[in-house]
Amino acid sequence: MMTVHLEVKKRKNPYIPIEADEIIPKNFINKDQELFVWRGNRKVPLEEVFLKRIEGTASYAKEIEIVITGESGRIKRVGEYMDAGAILIEGDIGMHCGNFMSGGTIEIRGDADAWLGREMTGGTIVCRGNAGDYCGSGYRGEKKGMRGGTVEVFGDAGDFTAEALAGGTIVVHGNAGDLCGAEMKGGALVIHGNASRVCGNMSGGTCTVYGTVADMLPTFAYVGTTEDPDSRTALTEFAGDVANRGKGRLLVHSFIRA
Amino acid sequence: MAELLIKNACVIDPINRINGEMMDIAVRDGMIVESVGPAAAVIDAGGALTLPGGIDSHTHICGTKVNFGRYMSPEDMRAGRTTRRGEMHATSGYSVPTCYGNSYRYSAMGYTTVLEGAMAPIGARHTHEEFAHTPLQDAMANVLFDGNWGIMQAIRDGDQDRVAAIVAWTLAAAKGFAIKLTNPGGTEAWGWGKNITCINDRVPYFEVTPTEIIRSMIRANESLNLPHSVHLHCNNLGTPGNYACTLGTFDLVPDLNDKRQTLYATHVQFHSYGGSTWKDFCSKSEEIARSLNAKPQIVIDMGQVMFGKTTTMTADGPMEFNLYRLHHNKWSNHDVELETGSGVVPVTYRRSNLVNSVMWAIGLELALLARNPWQCILTTDNPNGAPFVKYPEIIGLLMSQKYRSKIFATVHPQTEHRTPLQAIDRELDWYEIAVMTRAAQAKALGIIDLGKGHLGPGAIADIAIYPIQIKDIDPSKEYEQVIRAFQQTNYTIKGGNVVSRNGYCTGTSHNTTYWVKPEVPAALDLDHDPEFEKYFQLYTVRKSNYIVQERALHLNRCIETEASL
Ligand SMILES: [Zn+2]
């Protein structure tokens, strides 16, 4: 087993964004491999931004855990294309964490910025704090969002959560923002709190909201009421989005029409 | 006084009828001169093929629909990334790259001049801003007039002078270069949920036909003495059997200009289809080429399709809707107020697909069956048929039957029953390729007199030196070397400055936008015409904001013409 400790160094100008897509477990199998990050428009060695300390050895990515500490809230693209192993982020993490991820686990103890788990195909992301907008979505212009794996957010999630979701599961324990599940094509979106205008133009998949949906869209057909087996709460089931001849399922605890 | 001497150049310069002569080229202050002094900087071409800078007379690289293609396709933006290097900016995108991406890639291939094929006047400002950031090419833009309400009204009223007046005013307002008609009348019909199937259908409400629009615009073009001819994207693009419509359109064209063609028909590959459905779809390149060969007043460009991913974009909104229904891919469609429309759809052309294979063959057939290379220009309608970075492969295909056969063996097996390509043994030579990639463009656009497209004294020093010795190589066998050579110059020189060296580009060039300002008699000046003002009550912008001011342009050169009205 190997643990890679990456501590973000104090920065003179913390507002310059850092792109760190090379921070994935498999890149540390060879301890001497030179890795780089982008600081603004400059490519710099990883060690210029992070204090690196490695314990143990590993022959496979799955035996590696990366632990990121310090002011990491503006560090983007950590875990992009990650396929195995683990990343633990003690604080906050910047945008696009876990883009295109296919395996392994990422745990964020703080908040995640926008685009968490964008277009991921497998693996698990756990965010203990809040997630920003577009969690588990596709990038602008992309036909499909997340296609597989699991994202669990214990705090709130932002607008457009699970936009174009095509597979996998997204669970938000807090509230989610506006237009969540828009263009959903498959997979499951579960929101334990409230949300608004959910699932516009949905064509497939299932979205469950245990709180209240504000500005409920008029283009969903009433199906009936069911009792949720886990929480034993009554849910109203809709099918839609009928404007798109969609075959999605939308289950809500309560809703307010726009 | 900056002087440069290019020694030992193997020059092909069709406009000056130079075919493979070893010579020196002298440059002073950005212009080609007879001779320079002993202090001149020297580039030794070492016998390498040296051509005038390449000119693309129909491409889509700047403006609103190009930008829409960029932001609807993040996968395309990821496909062609390059990082910052020296003076080169970072770039991204493959079929619709960023401005710098387009500029560097064209420059590496020796291109120094480009014409944006379709600029809606109301979006002109955006196009000009992108021109400013396309630093290694001079640029000009076709202005879309295919659904212009004022013009259709004037045609209906039989007021030919007013047609010319609106063209003159709009070209100068948009800082455009030439008249573009995209599916004339069809995009306006699309606004009513309809299309135009051929040249004698009537446009809803305006009750004019494409025939009337094309004839009237040709007359207006020639009465304004514009450098370029009318630039036409025929009706009914991309549908089986449309070749008949194309032939009918060609038959409308009189021969009115002794310096150049009277009609430039663009991406004719997309308009040379036989059959009645996609099931019996076939090539009609022979019929189209026969018509072209009999009509020196027409110049076409190929609109070659190459296999792979790309993005289609055109002002032809209804056509893009049909394409969307075929592919069910992402689709964007725009209504552009009182003048035109547009659509964008990403596509992949596949060898395993019979229709795509036939399309691929048709473009090549047109180039091989057109007897006069001055009448058939090499394009892909970038990026509609393929991104322009495929031009070198097309050159290879045109120069080598062996290469064509090799690719033919990989396409859909039914292709040979639908196209005559395998029966054509013509192989184009270096001179013909030089015509089809720069000289014919300069002539067709009417910019030879501005010093474009040739290497004679007085010309602008736009020069491309390719790493190939044409005397030592047989392109029909060694096509791979030909392709490689055309992919990257040793030197691309623009306005006397080296702008690209072995693919490494510099950010410095005095890239200039060419635009046209026709002088019309005071009675036809629409600046204070109350009837014309009325249209601007229907636009979302005021007339004063619609006009692109000269100061909004980068370096620019205005071509003033004297109208014969
Ligand atoms: Zn075009």
Side-chain angles (χ1 to χ4, degrees), chain A residues 38 41-42 77 100 118-119 139-143, chain B residues 71-75 78 81 83-84 328-330:
Chain A
W38 284 88
N41 58 8
R42 255 167 245 287
R77 295 170 68 191
F100 307 108
R118 161 164 81 82
E119 293 161 59
Y139 198 60
R140 296 188 181 99
E142 202 63 65
K143 282 189 289 184
Chain B
Y71 59 79
M72 72 191 272
S73 296
E75 71 282 5
R78 281 195 291 274
R81 282 183 181 161
T83 53
R84 191 173 77 156
H328 284 280
N329 202 340
K330 294 183 268 203

PDB file of all heavy atoms in Angstrom, chain A residues 38 41-42 77 100 118-119 139-143, chain B residues 71-75 78 81 83-84 328-330:
ATOM      1  N   TRP A  38      -0.863  22.969 -13.968  1.00  0.00           N
ATOM      2  CA  TRP A  38      -0.908  24.290 -14.611  1.00  0.00           C
ATOM      3  C   TRP A  38      -1.265  25.318 -13.542  1.00  0.00           C
ATOM      4  O   TRP A  38      -2.286  25.186 -12.872  1.00  0.00           O
ATOM      5  CB  TRP A  38      -1.942  24.313 -15.724  1.00  0.00           C
ATOM      6  CG  TRP A  38      -1.473  23.606 -16.953  1.00  0.00           C
ATOM      7  CD1 TRP A  38      -1.608  22.282 -17.222  1.00  0.00           C
ATOM      8  CD2 TRP A  38      -0.781  24.184 -18.059  1.00  0.00           C
ATOM      9  NE1 TRP A  38      -1.036  22.001 -18.433  1.00  0.00           N
ATOM     10  CE2 TRP A  38      -0.525  23.136 -18.976  1.00  0.00           C
ATOM     11  CE3 TRP A  38      -0.347  25.479 -18.378  1.00  0.00           C
ATOM     12  CZ2 TRP A  38       0.141  23.351 -20.185  1.00  0.00           C
ATOM     13  CZ3 TRP A  38       0.313  25.689 -19.572  1.00  0.00           C
ATOM     14  CH2 TRP A  38       0.558  24.631 -20.461  1.00  0.00           C
ATOM     15  N   ASN A  41      -1.420  30.245 -16.657  1.00  0.00           N
ATOM     16  CA  ASN A  41      -1.042  29.727 -17.974  1.00  0.00           C
ATOM     17  C   ASN A  41       0.365  29.143 -17.989  1.00  0.00           C
ATOM     18  O   ASN A  41       1.009  29.045 -19.011  1.00  0.00           O
ATOM     19  CB  ASN A  41      -1.192  30.827 -19.040  1.00  0.00           C
ATOM     20  CG  ASN A  41      -0.361  32.055 -18.714  1.00  0.00           C
ATOM     21  OD1 ASN A  41       0.441  32.040 -17.781  1.00  0.00           O
ATOM     22  ND2 ASN A  41      -0.532  33.115 -19.471  1.00  0.00           N
ATOM     23  N   ARG A  42       0.865  28.779 -16.831  1.00  0.00           N
ATOM     24  CA  ARG A  42       2.214  28.209 -16.755  1.00  0.00           C
ATOM     25  C   ARG A  42       2.188  26.786 -16.234  1.00  0.00           C
ATOM     26  O   ARG A  42       1.503  26.479 -15.261  1.00  0.00           O
ATOM     27  CB  ARG A  42       3.073  29.049 -15.807  1.00  0.00           C
ATOM     28  CG  ARG A  42       4.057  29.909 -16.514  1.00  0.00           C
ATOM     29  CD  ARG A  42       4.652  30.941 -15.579  1.00  0.00           C
ATOM     30  NE  ARG A  42       4.240  32.258 -16.033  1.00  0.00           N
ATOM     31  CZ  ARG A  42       4.730  32.848 -17.127  1.00  0.00           C
ATOM     32  NH1 ARG A  42       5.647  32.260 -17.857  1.00  0.00           N
ATOM     33  NH2 ARG A  42       4.317  34.043 -17.497  1.00  0.00           N
ATOM     34  N   ARG A  77      -9.799  19.916 -11.471  1.00  0.00           N
ATOM     35  CA  ARG A  77      -9.574  18.689 -12.266  1.00  0.00           C
ATOM     36  C   ARG A  77      -8.813  17.596 -11.517  1.00  0.00           C
ATOM     37  O   ARG A  77      -8.221  16.729 -12.147  1.00  0.00           O
ATOM     38  CB  ARG A  77      -8.877  19.023 -13.579  1.00  0.00           C
ATOM     39  CG  ARG A  77      -9.730  19.890 -14.501  1.00  0.00           C
ATOM     40  CD  ARG A  77      -8.966  20.429 -15.681  1.00  0.00           C
ATOM     41  NE  ARG A  77      -8.574  19.370 -16.608  1.00  0.00           N
ATOM     42  CZ  ARG A  77      -7.729  19.536 -17.616  1.00  0.00           C
ATOM     43  NH1 ARG A  77      -7.175  20.731 -17.801  1.00  0.00           N
ATOM     44  NH2 ARG A  77      -7.419  18.547 -18.405  1.00  0.00           N
ATOM     45  N   PHE A 100     -14.797  12.486 -15.883  1.00  0.00           N
ATOM     46  CA  PHE A 100     -14.559  11.263 -16.680  1.00  0.00           C
ATOM     47  C   PHE A 100     -14.022  10.086 -15.845  1.00  0.00           C
ATOM     48  O   PHE A 100     -13.484   9.132 -16.390  1.00  0.00           O
ATOM     49  CB  PHE A 100     -13.562  11.505 -17.821  1.00  0.00           C
ATOM     50  CG  PHE A 100     -13.892  12.659 -18.710  1.00  0.00           C
ATOM     51  CD1 PHE A 100     -13.147  13.831 -18.669  1.00  0.00           C
ATOM     52  CD2 PHE A 100     -14.953  12.574 -19.595  1.00  0.00           C
ATOM     53  CE1 PHE A 100     -13.448  14.901 -19.502  1.00  0.00           C
ATOM     54  CE2 PHE A 100     -15.260  13.640 -20.435  1.00  0.00           C
ATOM     55  CZ  PHE A 100     -14.506  14.811 -20.379  1.00  0.00           C
ATOM     56  N   ARG A 118     -18.293  15.182 -13.315  1.00  0.00           N
ATOM     57  CA  ARG A 118     -18.840  15.437 -14.653  1.00  0.00           C
ATOM     58  C   ARG A 118     -18.512  14.292 -15.608  1.00  0.00           C
ATOM     59  O   ARG A 118     -17.375  13.855 -15.709  1.00  0.00           O
ATOM     60  CB  ARG A 118     -18.249  16.740 -15.195  1.00  0.00           C
ATOM     61  CG  ARG A 118     -18.365  16.886 -16.690  1.00  0.00           C
ATOM     62  CD  ARG A 118     -18.151  18.291 -17.140  1.00  0.00           C
ATOM     63  NE  ARG A 118     -16.754  18.658 -17.228  1.00  0.00           N
ATOM     64  CZ  ARG A 118     -15.967  18.375 -18.270  1.00  0.00           C
ATOM     65  NH1 ARG A 118     -16.428  17.671 -19.281  1.00  0.00           N
ATOM     66  NH2 ARG A 118     -14.724  18.774 -18.274  1.00  0.00           N
ATOM     67  N   GLU A 119     -19.536  13.789 -16.276  1.00  0.00           N
ATOM     68  CA  GLU A 119     -19.385  12.722 -17.277  1.00  0.00           C
ATOM     69  C   GLU A 119     -18.625  11.504 -16.754  1.00  0.00           C
ATOM     70  O   GLU A 119     -17.931  10.823 -17.509  1.00  0.00           O
ATOM     71  CB  GLU A 119     -18.721  13.267 -18.548  1.00  0.00           C
ATOM     72  CG  GLU A 119     -19.604  14.257 -19.285  1.00  0.00           C
ATOM     73  CD  GLU A 119     -18.865  15.140 -20.262  1.00  0.00           C
ATOM     74  OE1 GLU A 119     -18.242  14.582 -21.169  1.00  0.00           O
ATOM     75  OE2 GLU A 119     -18.905  16.374 -20.119  1.00  0.00           O
ATOM     76  N   TYR A 139     -20.768  18.388 -19.765  1.00  0.00           N
ATOM     77  CA  TYR A 139     -20.300  19.749 -20.010  1.00  0.00           C
ATOM     78  C   TYR A 139     -21.256  20.430 -20.978  1.00  0.00           C
ATOM     79  O   TYR A 139     -22.023  19.765 -21.672  1.00  0.00           O
ATOM     80  CB  TYR A 139     -18.869  19.742 -20.577  1.00  0.00           C
ATOM     81  CG  TYR A 139     -18.207  21.089 -20.423  1.00  0.00           C
ATOM     82  CD1 TYR A 139     -18.028  21.622 -19.155  1.00  0.00           C
ATOM     83  CD2 TYR A 139     -17.814  21.820 -21.523  1.00  0.00           C
ATOM     84  CE1 TYR A 139     -17.463  22.875 -19.000  1.00  0.00           C
ATOM     85  CE2 TYR A 139     -17.234  23.073 -21.371  1.00  0.00           C
ATOM     86  CZ  TYR A 139     -17.069  23.596 -20.108  1.00  0.00           C
ATOM     87  OH  TYR A 139     -16.519  24.838 -19.956  1.00  0.00           O
ATOM     88  N   ARG A 140     -21.219  21.734 -21.088  1.00  0.00           N
ATOM     89  CA  ARG A 140     -22.141  22.451 -21.975  1.00  0.00           C
ATOM     90  C   ARG A 140     -21.977  21.954 -23.408  1.00  0.00           C
ATOM     91  O   ARG A 140     -20.878  21.937 -23.936  1.00  0.00           O
ATOM     92  CB  ARG A 140     -21.869  23.948 -21.923  1.00  0.00           C
ATOM     93  CG  ARG A 140     -22.145  24.514 -20.561  1.00  0.00           C
ATOM     94  CD  ARG A 140     -22.056  26.020 -20.554  1.00  0.00           C
ATOM     95  NE  ARG A 140     -22.314  26.515 -19.225  1.00  0.00           N
ATOM     96  CZ  ARG A 140     -21.383  26.879 -18.359  1.00  0.00           C
ATOM     97  NH1 ARG A 140     -20.112  26.830 -18.707  1.00  0.00           N
ATOM     98  NH2 ARG A 140     -21.698  27.309 -17.168  1.00  0.00           N
ATOM     99  N   GLY A 141     -23.078  21.521 -23.993  1.00  0.00           N
ATOM    100  CA  GLY A 141     -23.029  21.008 -25.355  1.00  0.00           C
ATOM    101  C   GLY A 141     -22.858  19.502 -25.403  1.00  0.00           C
ATOM    102  O   GLY A 141     -22.996  18.898 -26.448  1.00  0.00           O
ATOM    103  N   GLU A 142     -22.583  18.877 -24.279  1.00  0.00           N
ATOM    104  CA  GLU A 142     -22.390  17.419 -24.253  1.00  0.00           C
ATOM    105  C   GLU A 142     -23.769  16.747 -24.227  1.00  0.00           C
ATOM    106  O   GLU A 142     -24.681  17.233 -23.570  1.00  0.00           O
ATOM    107  CB  GLU A 142     -21.591  17.070 -22.993  1.00  0.00           C
ATOM    108  CG  GLU A 142     -20.876  15.762 -23.051  1.00  0.00           C
ATOM    109  CD  GLU A 142     -19.811  15.714 -24.127  1.00  0.00           C
ATOM    110  OE1 GLU A 142     -18.814  16.453 -24.054  1.00  0.00           O
ATOM    111  OE2 GLU A 142     -19.995  14.921 -25.059  1.00  0.00           O
ATOM    112  N   LYS A 143     -23.901  15.636 -24.939  1.00  0.00           N
ATOM    113  CA  LYS A 143     -25.212  15.003 -25.007  1.00  0.00           C
ATOM    114  C   LYS A 143     -25.548  14.219 -23.739  1.00  0.00           C
ATOM    115  O   LYS A 143     -26.694  14.063 -23.394  1.00  0.00           O
ATOM    116  CB  LYS A 143     -25.274  14.065 -26.215  1.00  0.00           C
ATOM    117  CG  LYS A 143     -25.474  14.832 -27.509  1.00  0.00           C
ATOM    118  CD  LYS A 143     -25.765  13.896 -28.667  1.00  0.00           C
ATOM    119  CE  LYS A 143     -24.523  13.114 -29.037  1.00  0.00           C
ATOM    120  NZ  LYS A 143     -24.755  12.263 -30.212  1.00  0.00           N
TER     121      LYS A 143
ATOM    122  N   TYR B  71     -19.245  26.008 -29.350  1.00  0.00           N
ATOM    123  CA  TYR B  71     -19.718  25.761 -28.000  1.00  0.00           C
ATOM    124  C   TYR B  71     -20.751  24.661 -27.873  1.00  0.00           C
ATOM    125  O   TYR B  71     -21.037  24.225 -26.780  1.00  0.00           O
ATOM    126  CB  TYR B  71     -20.042  27.033 -27.223  1.00  0.00           C
ATOM    127  CG  TYR B  71     -21.063  28.009 -27.706  1.00  0.00           C
ATOM    128  CD1 TYR B  71     -22.412  27.790 -27.540  1.00  0.00           C
ATOM    129  CD2 TYR B  71     -20.653  29.226 -28.239  1.00  0.00           C
ATOM    130  CE1 TYR B  71     -23.341  28.742 -27.918  1.00  0.00           C
ATOM    131  CE2 TYR B  71     -21.575  30.172 -28.623  1.00  0.00           C
ATOM    132  CZ  TYR B  71     -22.913  29.936 -28.473  1.00  0.00           C
ATOM    133  OH  TYR B  71     -23.823  30.864 -28.835  1.00  0.00           O
ATOM    134  N   MET B  72     -21.254  24.154 -28.968  1.00  0.00           N
ATOM    135  CA  MET B  72     -22.141  22.999 -28.825  1.00  0.00           C
ATOM    136  C   MET B  72     -21.366  21.681 -28.871  1.00  0.00           C
ATOM    137  O   MET B  72     -21.950  20.622 -28.686  1.00  0.00           O
ATOM    138  CB  MET B  72     -23.251  23.014 -29.877  1.00  0.00           C
ATOM    139  CG  MET B  72     -22.849  22.694 -31.282  1.00  0.00           C
ATOM    140  SD  MET B  72     -24.188  23.049 -32.432  1.00  0.00           S
ATOM    141  CE  MET B  72     -25.068  21.481 -32.384  1.00  0.00           C
ATOM    142  N   SER B  73     -20.060  21.728 -29.087  1.00  0.00           N
ATOM    143  CA  SER B  73     -19.282  20.490 -29.218  1.00  0.00           C
ATOM    144  C   SER B  73     -18.032  20.476 -28.354  1.00  0.00           C
ATOM    145  O   SER B  73     -16.927  20.609 -28.862  1.00  0.00           O
ATOM    146  CB  SER B  73     -18.889  20.280 -30.680  1.00  0.00           C
ATOM    147  OG  SER B  73     -20.022  20.099 -31.467  1.00  0.00           O
ATOM    148  N   PRO B  74     -18.210  20.299 -27.039  1.00  0.00           N
ATOM    149  CA  PRO B  74     -17.014  20.251 -26.183  1.00  0.00           C
ATOM    150  C   PRO B  74     -16.079  19.117 -26.581  1.00  0.00           C
ATOM    151  O   PRO B  74     -14.874  19.223 -26.414  1.00  0.00           O
ATOM    152  CB  PRO B  74     -17.583  20.046 -24.777  1.00  0.00           C
ATOM    153  CG  PRO B  74     -18.982  19.585 -24.964  1.00  0.00           C
ATOM    154  CD  PRO B  74     -19.446  20.145 -26.273  1.00  0.00           C
ATOM    155  N   GLU B  75     -16.642  18.020 -27.163  1.00  0.00           N
ATOM    156  CA  GLU B  75     -15.785  16.901 -27.564  1.00  0.00           C
ATOM    157  C   GLU B  75     -14.867  17.329 -28.703  1.00  0.00           C
ATOM    158  O   GLU B  75     -13.733  16.877 -28.799  1.00  0.00           O
ATOM    159  CB  GLU B  75     -16.619  15.664 -27.928  1.00  0.00           C
ATOM    160  CG  GLU B  75     -17.429  15.729 -29.223  1.00  0.00           C
ATOM    161  CD  GLU B  75     -18.721  16.530 -29.121  1.00  0.00           C
ATOM    162  OE1 GLU B  75     -18.991  17.142 -28.067  1.00  0.00           O
ATOM    163  OE2 GLU B  75     -19.468  16.571 -30.127  1.00  0.00           O
ATOM    164  N   ARG B  78     -11.978  19.350 -27.277  1.00  0.00           N
ATOM    165  CA  ARG B  78     -10.945  18.525 -26.640  1.00  0.00           C
ATOM    166  C   ARG B  78     -10.074  17.829 -27.677  1.00  0.00           C
ATOM    167  O   ARG B  78      -8.953  17.425 -27.382  1.00  0.00           O
ATOM    168  CB  ARG B  78     -11.607  17.439 -25.775  1.00  0.00           C
ATOM    169  CG  ARG B  78     -12.097  17.915 -24.445  1.00  0.00           C
ATOM    170  CD  ARG B  78     -12.386  16.744 -23.515  1.00  0.00           C
ATOM    171  NE  ARG B  78     -13.532  15.967 -23.920  1.00  0.00           N
ATOM    172  CZ  ARG B  78     -14.786  16.248 -23.578  1.00  0.00           C
ATOM    173  NH1 ARG B  78     -15.048  17.291 -22.826  1.00  0.00           N
ATOM    174  NH2 ARG B  78     -15.778  15.493 -23.982  1.00  0.00           N
ATOM    175  N   ARG B  81      -6.147  19.885 -29.098  1.00  0.00           N
ATOM    176  CA  ARG B  81      -5.495  20.858 -28.216  1.00  0.00           C
ATOM    177  C   ARG B  81      -4.011  20.991 -28.498  1.00  0.00           C
ATOM    178  O   ARG B  81      -3.306  20.000 -28.667  1.00  0.00           O
ATOM    179  CB  ARG B  81      -5.657  20.430 -26.772  1.00  0.00           C
ATOM    180  CG  ARG B  81      -7.026  20.732 -26.238  1.00  0.00           C
ATOM    181  CD  ARG B  81      -7.107  20.359 -24.789  1.00  0.00           C
ATOM    182  NE  ARG B  81      -8.433  20.622 -24.278  1.00  0.00           N
ATOM    183  CZ  ARG B  81      -8.909  20.073 -23.178  1.00  0.00           C
ATOM    184  NH1 ARG B  81      -8.171  19.240 -22.475  1.00  0.00           N
ATOM    185  NH2 ARG B  81     -10.109  20.372 -22.763  1.00  0.00           N
ATOM    186  N   THR B  83      -0.634  23.344 -26.827  1.00  0.00           N
ATOM    187  CA  THR B  83      -0.307  24.267 -25.750  1.00  0.00           C
ATOM    188  C   THR B  83       0.430  25.489 -26.298  1.00  0.00           C
ATOM    189  O   THR B  83       0.897  25.490 -27.426  1.00  0.00           O
ATOM    190  CB  THR B  83       0.591  23.594 -24.698  1.00  0.00           C
ATOM    191  OG1 THR B  83       1.715  23.036 -25.371  1.00  0.00           O
ATOM    192  CG2 THR B  83      -0.153  22.505 -23.957  1.00  0.00           C
ATOM    193  N   ARG B  84       0.531  26.499 -25.471  1.00  0.00           N
ATOM    194  CA  ARG B  84       1.228  27.714 -25.844  1.00  0.00           C
ATOM    195  C   ARG B  84       2.695  27.392 -26.112  1.00  0.00           C
ATOM    196  O   ARG B  84       3.292  26.564 -25.413  1.00  0.00           O
ATOM    197  CB  ARG B  84       1.127  28.709 -24.701  1.00  0.00           C
ATOM    198  CG  ARG B  84       1.573  30.074 -25.077  1.00  0.00           C
ATOM    199  CD  ARG B  84       1.273  31.011 -23.962  1.00  0.00           C
ATOM    200  NE  ARG B  84       2.243  30.870 -22.884  1.00  0.00           N
ATOM    201  CZ  ARG B  84       2.504  31.830 -22.013  1.00  0.00           C
ATOM    202  NH1 ARG B  84       1.860  32.972 -22.081  1.00  0.00           N
ATOM    203  NH2 ARG B  84       3.386  31.638 -21.062  1.00  0.00           N
ATOM    204  N   HIS B 328     -30.173  12.393 -35.880  1.00  0.00           N
ATOM    205  CA  HIS B 328     -30.622  12.593 -34.501  1.00  0.00           C
ATOM    206  C   HIS B 328     -29.490  13.015 -33.572  1.00  0.00           C
ATOM    207  O   HIS B 328     -29.413  12.624 -32.427  1.00  0.00           O
ATOM    208  CB  HIS B 328     -31.356  11.362 -33.962  1.00  0.00           C
ATOM    209  CG  HIS B 328     -32.721  11.283 -34.536  1.00  0.00           C
ATOM    210  ND1 HIS B 328     -33.762  12.036 -34.062  1.00  0.00           N
ATOM    211  CD2 HIS B 328     -33.206  10.600 -35.587  1.00  0.00           C
ATOM    212  CE1 HIS B 328     -34.832  11.806 -34.786  1.00  0.00           C
ATOM    213  NE2 HIS B 328     -34.523  10.947 -35.726  1.00  0.00           N
ATOM    214  N   ASN B 329     -28.603  13.791 -34.134  1.00  0.00           N
ATOM    215  CA  ASN B 329     -27.499  14.304 -33.315  1.00  0.00           C
ATOM    216  C   ASN B 329     -27.888  15.686 -32.794  1.00  0.00           C
ATOM    217  O   ASN B 329     -28.995  16.161 -33.018  1.00  0.00           O
ATOM    218  CB  ASN B 329     -26.232  14.367 -34.181  1.00  0.00           C
ATOM    219  CG  ASN B 329     -24.985  14.368 -33.334  1.00  0.00           C
ATOM    220  OD1 ASN B 329     -25.011  14.688 -32.151  1.00  0.00           O
ATOM    221  ND2 ASN B 329     -23.878  14.014 -33.936  1.00  0.00           N
ATOM    222  N   LYS B 330     -26.960  16.315 -32.113  1.00  0.00           N
ATOM    223  CA  LYS B 330     -27.190  17.681 -31.653  1.00  0.00           C
ATOM    224  C   LYS B 330     -27.501  18.563 -32.857  1.00  0.00           C
ATOM    225  O   LYS B 330     -26.976  18.352 -33.940  1.00  0.00           O
ATOM    226  CB  LYS B 330     -25.922  18.217 -30.986  1.00  0.00           C
ATOM    227  CG  LYS B 330     -25.568  17.517 -29.728  1.00  0.00           C
ATOM    228  CD  LYS B 330     -24.351  18.140 -29.102  1.00  0.00           C
ATOM    229  CE  LYS B 330     -23.095  17.482 -29.549  1.00  0.00           C
ATOM    230  NZ  LYS B 330     -21.990  17.673 -28.598  1.00  0.00           N
TER     231      LYS B 330
END
